[in-house]
Amino acid sequence: MRVLHTSDWHLGVDYFGRPRLEEQAAFLSWLLDTIVARQIDAVVVAGDIFDKGAPSAEAQSLYYAFL
C-alpha cells in the first residue's frame, strides 16, 4: 500500500490581504497528478485543511473539486 502524507493545507488563507486561491488550486492539481503518477492508495492530511472554522465557498469548492 502506498500512502502519501501531507499536512496543514489552510485552504482559503489570505497573505496580507492577497487571496491565494489560485496558488492553492495549483497545489491541489499538482497533488492530484502526483497521486495518479505514483499510484497512491491513501492520502493522509494531518492538520488543518481549511484556514478558518467557517471556510469560504471558494475554499470549499477547491476542496470538493479535489475530492
Side-chain angles (χ1 to χ4, degrees), residues 39-65:
Q39 300 177 341
I40 302 298
D41 298 306
V43 176
V44 176
V45 182
D48 301 322
I49 291 176
F50 296 109
D51 189 54
K52 299 177 179 140
S56 68
E58 294 85 0
Q60 289 182 53
S61 179
L62 278 178
Y63 177 68
Y64 291 117

Side-chain angles (χ1 to χ4, degrees), residues 2 10-11 24 42 47 50:
R2 291 176 179 254
H10 291 276
L11 298 178
Q24 294 163 353
F50 296 109

Side-chain angles (χ1 to χ4, degrees), residues 25-41:
F27 162 71
L28 292 175
S29 177
W30 169 84
L31 183 59
L32 185 57
D33 291 345
T34 300
I35 290 167
V36 171
R38 295 183 182 252
Q39 300 177 341
I40 302 298
D41 298 306

